[in-house]
Amino acid sequence: MLAVSLTLLVQDFVNGIFLGGVFALLGIGVVLIYKSSGVLNFAHGAMAMFSTWVYFQVDRSLGLPVVLSLAIAVAFGASLGAGVYLVVFRRMRDSGLLAKVIAALAIAGFLQGAAAFIWRNTTQARPPQQFPAGSLALGDVGLGWQQIGAVLLTLAVAVGVIQLVKRTTFGVALRATAQNRTAAKLLGVQENRVAATAWAIGGGLAALAGALVIPLSALTVYSMTGYMVRGFVAAVVGGFVSLPAALIGGFGLGIAQETLLATPLASLSRVFAGLAVAVLLLLRVERFFALDQELRALEEAG
Amino acid sequence: MTPEAAVVPPLGGEIISAPGPAVAVVLGEPPRSRRGLLGAAVGFLVVAAGPPLLLDGVWNATLALAAVYGLMGLSMVVLTGYVGQLSLMPATFVGVGAFASADLVSRLATPFWVAVPLAALVTVPVALVIGIVALRLKGLYLAIMTLVFADVLQEFLFKQSWFAGEGGSVDAPRPFLAGIDFKSDKVYYFLVVIVAMVFVVLVRNFSRSRSARACYAVRDNESTAQALGINVAKYKLMAFALHGFIAGFAGALFAHWQWSVSAGGQRPQFGLEFSLTLVFFTILGGVRSIWGPFVGAAIWVVLVQRLLAGSPNGQNIALSIFGLLVLGTMLYRPAGLVGVATDAMRRLRAGRAS
Amino acid sequence: MISRTRTPRAAIVAFSMAIAVLLPSCALFQPRRVAINSQVTQTLPPLPVSTGRVPSSSTVAPRTIFVPGKGGRTGKVNYASAPGVTAGEIKIGIIVPMDGPAAELGRPLYRTTQAYVNVLNARGGINGRKVRLFLQTACINCEAEVLLAAKALVEQKGVFAVVNAYMNTYSFGAAMKYLNEKKVPLIQGWTGVGEESVTWSNAQTPWSVYYTIRNDEAVGIWVDWMSTVNAKWQAAGKLPNPQHPYWVGTVALDVSQDRRRSIEFKKVWESKGADHKVVSQQYVAAEEEAITRMDSFIAAMKDAKANAVFSASNITMVFGMQAAARQTWKVPWVSKSAWGRAATDNCGPPCDGGYTDNNGWGWAGVDTPQMRQYLAAMRAYYPDGVKYADAQTLGGWIGMMAFEYAATQLGADLTRKDLIDVLGNLKGFDTGVGAQINTSPTDHLGMGQFMMLQICNNAFYRVSDWLSPGGAMKRVSSKGDCGWGY
């Protein structure tokens, strides 16, 4: 069928914005973690997955209002992030890339195994939506309330985090560490504290991302791996240093990926992220966003 | 003649050791000692002939699988250990080799002895494509790129019926040569071990060559290497080609070990999980050592998978311990188990000497 | 100083160190074996006398109604007749994932099989031979490790037959080939394999039987049932597109078996007449993000004016119905059998009214002496009572029933060939808990009927007797229609 159905296009576009928000949340977390500690967090998806299981379990066992369960899950995600840094990556600040990547992957595997073991008697776990079920009908197109709410929440949180990095002392310290670690230390920046905070924010964002998307999807121990990869692509858009770019990149990726499904080029949707990343990296897009110092620091670490 | 390089971390002060006498003989150097040569010959005989003579078919099949996995890990040693290119998609190349060989033998009526090397050769261009992309990417970005490209290949290759068969699987029958039926687990083990040994020797040979020294320079500091006039691109591409060849060969042997190869349904067989398993056990064994992947594979196949398969709860615990070991390796002993053993033996010898 | 370290030796040392670390830790952590309380067998209630009408799957009097423990040969045998069979013992093996994400599928099946064996041994075994079950575990997607598990069972443990191996279709291929090559019977009460897919046709797996409904028969029943339901909805004015009441859509996971099922459905549906059309075929990629796109798939089917949806698996039905609820699109859904707890655990109101079949296994709404026996055993061995009594476990139970029946018949001369000959040539074999089984050399699945179930309030209700393709699609209960009317 060559004709592009408008309804389908709009429906996919809406889903794309929703997924894009999830990618953006994950991408921002990845950038924060990378800037503060030089680790590309391959365990980001697993952290999101584990926190979402906690969200599911808290809701099932305690029966609290969804907002409270969500808050607990996000708090758990933050502690998990900070914990992972303090236990593992604090010791690896001078290690090379391979060591950090492998360590993160090992942590991801460990979290997956732990989740599989703890919740092995649960089938088809479905954590609750935060926003009402049902949808808003605009003509033939149905916009789920969960999707609308998630996009608004994502934007608010993302913008909040970006402002945090721009204006607070933490943010200044973060940028200083990313640009020139030695100088920052000389200036009194406590890099462990900065990194732990960044990891905590990253972990919290990951938990939020999982809690927003998984009610509409499936909760398994492999959940969030695909989303994490898309989050990396969003982070790449900003060259791993720019948060606003990661935000835009995430949304852009989501929209592009999903909208393709309504076109005759639907089979490209699955691999769009891969192609996007190839193009971005080959164009050396990071040069657009990074300051010279940050770029040098990046190249040294890579 | 050992480049006892003062290697700056990433991996932390690991020394590339000199080869033993057995290998020296093979490379045309005079044996260091008759005892060493005898020791190597005995060692080879024990490994190659021991299991077929002493153990049952299932153990031979298990050890053959370990050897094949070890060979897959060896491909990673060449790429990551020698040239420092971190790829998270080794299983994809393994899969390409596996399907190529299975297709050649069962659908294109190629003899096994031609199909397996041919499948390995077929994998090389695929690896080179990734290699060309890798030329412009460093460390972090390359890792992400391989992650994503594994997905791309999964979609465009492993889901296509011309490559992966109608039901997503292709037969991979074993050969029959000069009255020897390779369907026997013991015979196939012997074949796999011979092939693995050959590759070990070849990679060892390579690791002591001048090209390898250029590779190490690229691994340790790319810009410095470039400044020294080394053609970085050439060595990166060579690394990928070798990686593809070895992984493809191992994949072909794997397909025939299993008598068939399948792309998987809801979860891909040659996807991220398998790649990470390969990466993990190679790291655990030691990613810069030729024997590292074999040690890691043996631990994975024999200890984690096989010995605990009869126990209702054992495997879960073994998997967690395995994960912790890998983490520990990265934190404390980046040279892997082989590095730990090397250190221990050196200290023992030093202790004995004093 | 040139180092003369011999790295091969280093490797051996390294490996020994690893063994030294790992083995004791495993010994240290040796967990309790999965607790099977064999004393419980004494307290199982006696088999109740059958009263009332038992929905039998056979229209003529079945030739063999099998009640475990009743009938069949008795008396002792005194010699070893086959590998794994001695005067006092029959060894069988099972391969299931006990760890990882699929543990929730593998563990209940292992426990059920072990429970059956315990109960069987408590009443004396098979002709005086006690049955011994050997477990091998492998991760559900690990084709190589599953093959090793099969080899270990056959060559190291020396089992006579393999039962109830639960692996997904794609990872069992190599092991299945091996078992057929070695001529070891495989009795799959549960099936993840063998649905006449290209790789495992009966001709290629003569040593395996599966006991589930054949795909081509199931398709006929789904088509007939959906036609009937649509007609009812049309009469009640509930269809969104009343001009074309027989325009429907299909949704399936994008994996080969499900795709095939979807295509089969379309073929059979459209053969019913010019007004029968499949106007939209959606394929969901087998990954988590794809499920968020279910809203798009629903929109596509709405767009194409579909009036009902056939789902090729339970996953797509559960998520599809949730999306349809979000989009407030109410149409009949018919799905290939939903494994028990998937739809009932967490779907909620969106799944109400969905139709699914019982795969030929009577795990909802069947009350026979054999069913009570099964439920009693489940209650005895599961702390959660009968929560795990569902498709998998009942399928496994049926497999064991067939095994007990065949082995009992063969008496002293129990050989592999004879066993598979009996299991592959059952006629009118009625287990009381599933459809009648009629196997033949060209049909190793054996079941040609299923019962239709409907989901209401997170539970399954039986809404038909045993249905056959081409037969009447009669609804026998209004329970479970959840206000849908039909």
Side-chain angles (χ1 to χ4, degrees):
Chain A
M1 189 148 52
L2 282 187
V4 175
S5 154
L6 192 63
T7 324
L8 229 50
L9 198 64
V10 176
Q11 190 78 59
D12 282 334
F13 183 79
V14 166
N15 197 41
I17 302 182
F18 165 64
L19 285 182
V22 174
F23 301 157
L25 281 177
L26 294 170
I28 290 176
V30 164
V31 171
L32 278 173
I33 286 175
Y34 184 77
K35 272 181 104 151
S36 69
S37 59
V39 174
L40 177 58
N41 188 17
F42 277 94
H44 211 68
M47 282 166 39
M49 174 271 298
F50 202 91
S51 305
T52 311
W53 273 103
V54 169
Y55 171 57
F56 159 77
Q57 190 63 59
V58 163
D59 176 73
R60 185 178 251 200
S61 318
L62 299 181
L64 299 166
V66 173
V67 175
L68 273 183
S69 304
L70 181 64
I72 295 176
V74 170
F76 177 84
S79 338
L80 182 62
V84 165
Y85 172 74
L86 290 171
V87 170
V88 180
F89 290 105
R90 183 174 41 161
R91 297 161 217 264
M92 296 185 81
R93 293 226 61 140
D94 294 314
S95 304
L97 171 72
L98 174 67
K100 290 182 188 172
V101 167
I102 299 297
L105 287 171
I107 292 169
F110 183 74
L111 284 174
Q112 281 176 345
F117 181 73
I118 297 173
W119 286 286
R120 68 173 164 221
N121 286 325
T122 315
T123 26
Q124 289 289 308
R126 205 167 133 247
Q129 293 182 194
Q130 295 81 20
F131 301 96
S135 54
L136 179 68
L138 291 180
D140 267 342
V141 177
L143 308 178
W145 287 113
Q146 176 73 12
Q147 290 166 315
I148 297 173
V151 169
L152 294 175
L153 185 58
T154 301
L155 278 171
V157 168
V159 168
V161 168
I162 291 172
Q163 289 305 307
L164 192 90
V165 170
K166 221 191 226 175
R167 294 177 202 279
T168 63
T169 3
F170 159 71
V172 172
L174 177 69
R175 275 177 288 150
T177 315
Q179 281 175 26
N180 191 328
R181 216 177 130 202
T182 337
K185 271 205 266 200
L186 286 173
L187 286 172
V189 167
Q190 292 178 306
E191 60 179 18
N192 278 332
R193 210 177 277 184
V194 169
T197 315
W199 272 82
I201 299 178
L205 289 175
L208 180 64
L212 285 175
V213 73
I214 289 189
L216 293 182
S217 170
L219 180 54
T220 66
V221 297
Y222 300 114
S223 298
M224 301 310 288
T225 315
Y227 293 101
M228 172 186 75
V229 174
R230 304 298 194 283
F232 287 168
V233 176
V236 165
V237 171
F240 280 98
V241 294
S242 164
L243 292 175
L247 176 62
I248 296 171
F251 276 109
L253 175 65
I255 292 172
Q257 183 184 286
E258 294 301 303
T259 320
L260 269 179
L261 282 174
T263 68
L265 296 168
S267 51
L268 277 184
S269 161
R270 181 77 176 74
V271 297
F272 182 80
L275 300 174
V277 116
V279 167
L280 286 170
L281 292 180
L282 293 175
L283 288 179
R284 304 224 179 203
V285 69
E286 63 265 19
R287 291 189 186 271
F288 289 117
F289 294 102
L291 301 170
D292 270 332
Q293 301 105 303
E294 283 174 332
L295 192 56
R296 219 176 297 136
L298 200 77
E299 286 182 346
E300 261 163 49
Chain B
M1 73 171 295
T2 315
E4 195 132 336
V7 177
V8 170
L11 274 190
E14 192 205 350
I15 296 162
I16 303 157
S17 43
V23 180
V25 169
V26 176
L27 296 174
E29 293 177 15
R32 307 259 163 116
S33 76
R34 213 175 296 146
R35 212 188 338 155
L37 183 55
L38 189 64
V42 167
F44 173 75
L45 265 163
V46 164
V47 172
L53 291 175
L54 301 172
L55 300 174
D56 67 16
V58 182
W59 276 111
N60 274 276
T62 307
L63 293 172
L65 184 66
V68 170
Y69 278 1
L71 197 57
M72 296 174 193
L74 190 64
S75 76
M76 268 215 74
V77 168
V78 169
L79 186 64
T80 306
Y82 292 173
V83 190
Q85 304 296 296
L86 177 58
S87 154
L88 292 174
M89 61 185 294
T92 307
F93 299 126
V94 168
V96 170
F99 273 110
S101 184
D103 285 335
L104 283 169
V105 174
S106 65
R107 289 156 100 190
L108 297 176
T110 321
F112 172 88
W113 310 100
V114 172
V116 171
L118 195 54
L121 282 172
V122 162
T123 314
V124 171
V126 181
L128 278 176
V129 166
I130 310 292
I132 291 172
V133 171
L135 287 180
R136 294 194 58 157
L137 302 176
K138 289 207 210 156
L140 191 60
Y141 296 111
L142 179 63
I144 300 175
M145 188 61 128
T146 55
L147 210 57
V148 184
F149 264 38
D151 249 359
V152 173
L153 278 171
Q154 176 70 26
E155 192 64 23
F156 285 137
L157 206 56
F158 292 112
K159 284 203 177 148
Q160 308 299 318
S161 53
W162 64 265
F163 184 70
E166 271 307 322
S169 85
V170 184
D171 280 349
R174 296 226 191 131
F176 190 90
L177 181 71
I180 308 174
D181 186 2
F182 283 81
K183 264 201 198 149
S184 149
D185 286 323
K186 299 185 178 185
V187 177
Y188 200 71
Y189 168 81
F190 194 73
L191 170 69
V192 164
V193 164
I194 304 276
V195 172
M197 295 285 188
V198 167
F199 271 102
V200 163
V201 168
L202 290 176
V203 172
R204 203 34 158 327
N205 184 16
F206 170 74
S207 79
R208 295 179 58 230
S209 68
R210 286 193 59 190
S211 313
R213 258 174 283 177
C215 289
Y216 305 145
V218 169
R219 174 192 67 199
D220 295 333
N221 197 324
E222 207 172 301
S223 3
T224 314
Q226 189 120 52
L228 287 173
I230 295 176
N231 186 349
V232 171
K234 167 178 150 194
Y235 289 104
K236 279 188 178 178
L237 286 178
M238 177 164 59
F240 271 96
L242 279 175
H243 172 72
F245 185 79
I246 301 176
F249 213 103
L253 288 175
F254 175 63
H256 293 277
W257 177 91
Q258 212 175 250
W259 291 3
S260 72
V261 56
S262 130
Q266 280 151 3
R267 301 219 69 85
Q269 291 280 5
F270 295 103
L272 189 60
E273 281 147 44
F274 195 11
S275 282
L276 289 184
T277 306
L278 291 176
V279 168
F280 282 171
F281 73 61
T282 306
I283 296 280
L284 180 63
V287 75
R288 286 194 187 176
S289 150
I290 297 179
W291 298 103
F294 292 97
V295 170
I299 292 174
W300 175 255
V301 173
V302 176
L303 289 183
V304 178
Q305 295 288 341
R306 200 82 293 279
L307 282 183
L308 296 166
S311 137
N313 293 314
Q315 234 174 43
N316 213 2
I317 292 163
L319 284 168
S320 307
I321 295 181
F322 185 80
L324 286 173
L325 278 176
V326 174
L327 196 56
T329 304
M330 245 36 254
L331 279 174
Y332 300 111
R333 289 282 180 270
L337 285 176
V338 170
V340 170
T342 314
D343 281 347
M345 281 167 44
R346 188 170 302 122
R347 255 178 279 144
L348 218 73
R349 193 169 297 120
R352 233 187 279 142
S354 63
Chain C
M1 197 58 202
I2 295 176
S3 157
R4 298 221 185 154
T5 319
R6 290 191 191 151
T7 41
R9 213 193 274 170
I12 296 170
V13 172
F15 186 62
S16 320
M17 284 166 51
I19 297 185
V21 166
L22 273 178
L23 275 184
S25 353
C26 292
L28 209 61
F29 283 114
Q30 200 49 242
R32 289 189 333 263
R33 304 219 127 238
V34 174
I36 298 285
N37 183 1
S38 23
Q39 285 173 325
V40 172
T41 55
Q42 261 62 54
T43 60
L44 278 180
L47 283 176
V49 173
S50 167
T51 55
R53 210 175 92 73
V54 170
S56 162
S57 64
S58 165
T59 45
V60 290
R63 269 187 249 167
T64 338
I65 300 184
F66 181 65
V67 178
K70 302 235 179 247
R73 294 204 209 167
T74 52
K76 295 199 171 263
V77 298
N78 60 0
Y79 62 92
S81 57
V85 179
T86 61
E89 190 176 71
I90 302 173
K91 295 198 271 195
I92 57 176
I94 184 172
I95 311 173
V96 287
M98 293 291 275
D99 304 297
E104 71 198 28
L105 308 169
R107 282 177 174 262
L109 191 54
Y110 165 64
R111 288 175 165 180
T112 305
T113 311
Q114 183 68 72
Y116 194 101
V117 165
N118 284 9
V119 175
L120 173 59
N121 286 342
R123 48 169 184 261
I126 296 180
N127 296 328
R129 289 170 169 141
K130 296 280 169 99
V131 175
R132 197 157 151 216
L133 180 67
F134 288 91
L135 166 71
Q136 283 282 306
T137 172
C139 98
I140 194 168
N141 291 305
C142 302
E143 199 173 4
E145 284 80 1
V146 173
L147 176 60
L148 279 177
K151 287 194 192 211
L153 282 176
V154 171
E155 295 173 35
Q156 286 180 333
K157 305 289 185 220
V159 300
F160 171 64
V162 176
V163 298
N164 295 341
Y166 184 94
M167 289 296 145
N168 82 54
T169 308
Y170 306 93
S171 67
F172 202 57
M176 186 121 90
K177 275 176 79 116
Y178 168 78
L179 289 173
N180 274 278
E181 183 88 18
K182 286 286 190 180
K183 305 198 164 86
V184 176
L186 169 68
I187 304 143
Q188 290 280 77
W190 161 262
T191 180
V193 299
E195 287 190 36
E196 299 147 273
S197 61
V198 172
T199 326
W200 310 293
S201 66
N202 293 321
Q204 289 173 316
T205 57
W207 289 84
S208 317
V209 289
Y210 314 101
Y211 302 147
T212 186
I213 182 139
R214 292 170 55 107
N215 206 42
D216 51 3
E217 275 152 339
V219 167
I221 309 175
W222 293 322
V223 163
D224 289 342
W225 187 268
M226 191 183 268
S227 275
T228 317
V229 172
N230 274 30
K232 295 272 175 177
W233 277 52
Q234 169 79 317
K238 289 175 160 188
L239 290 181
N241 177 19
Q243 270 108 1
H244 299 102
Y246 299 109
W247 279 17
V248 299
T250 67
V251 64
L253 283 178
D254 195 5
V255 295
S256 55
Q257 270 201 348
D258 291 34
R259 287 193 80 103
R260 247 197 302 274
R261 212 172 281 141
S262 221
I263 293 168
E264 263 299 297
F265 181 89
K266 176 176 165 131
K267 208 170 67 173
V268 177
W269 180 263
E270 295 187 341
S271 73
K272 291 282 168 192
D275 56 344
H276 280 65
K277 257 178 77 155
V278 171
V279 291
S280 176
Q281 293 209 281
Q282 301 297 325
Y283 297 104
V284 182
E287 55 183 19
E288 283 81 21
E289 290 136 58
I291 296 168
T292 60
R293 278 179 220 128
M294 285 304 301
D295 294 67
S296 297
F297 299 134
I298 301 297
M301 288 193 277
K302 257 166 121 171
D303 222 36
K305 307 261 184 278
N307 277 314
V309 183
F310 169 71
S311 165
S313 79
N314 58 92
I315 298 174
T316 37
M317 177 168 95
V318 168
F319 291 112
M321 290 191 82
Q322 288 170 6
R326 281 195 295 272
Q327 302 282 317
T328 48
W329 187 53
K330 211 163 182 198
V331 296
W333 281 72
V334 175
S335 159
K336 152 131 183 88
S337 92
W339 132 61
R341 288 163 282 138
T344 53
D345 257 16
N346 277 294
C347 190
C351 281
D352 282 348
Y355 289 106
T356 185
D357 64 81
N358 70 356
N359 225 27
W361 310 323
W363 46 275
V366 166
D367 185 20
T368 58
Q370 296 94 327
M371 183 57 91
R372 292 184 201 178
Q373 199 180 40
Y374 163 67
L375 291 175
M378 298 301 282
R379 250 177 239 123
Y381 290 107
Y382 282 76
D384 318 51
V386 296
K387 182 179 173 197
Y388 291 96
D390 68 4
Q392 270 113 285
T393 52
L394 185 56
W397 192 263
I398 290 175
M400 287 303 295
M401 287 172 81
F403 174 75
E404 179 185 346
Y405 168 74
T408 311
Q409 296 303 306
L410 291 169
D413 274 334
L414 183 58
T415 64
R416 283 172 171 164
K417 175 120 194 3
D418 287 340
L419 184 79
I420 203 68
D421 272 348
V422 174
L423 292 175
N425 286 288
L426 295 170
K427 298 295 175 239
F429 184 68
D430 192 334
T431 56
V433 293
Q436 194 187 102
I437 295 173
N438 295 285
T439 42
S440 73
T442 53
D443 178 9
H444 272 200
L445 280 81
M447 288 183 178
Q449 298 168 307
F450 61 55
M451 290 169 157
M452 198 57 86
L453 309 171
Q454 197 169 24
I455 302 170
C456 183
N457 291 332
N458 282 351
F460 287 99
Y461 292 88
R462 178 171 75 83
V463 296
S464 79
D465 279 336
W466 294 105
L467 302 170
S468 309
M473 298 286 123
K474 200 163 146 272
R475 194 188 169 102
V476 301
S477 161
S478 63
K479 258 208 244 171
D481 78 1
C482 243
W484 281 38
Y486 200 95

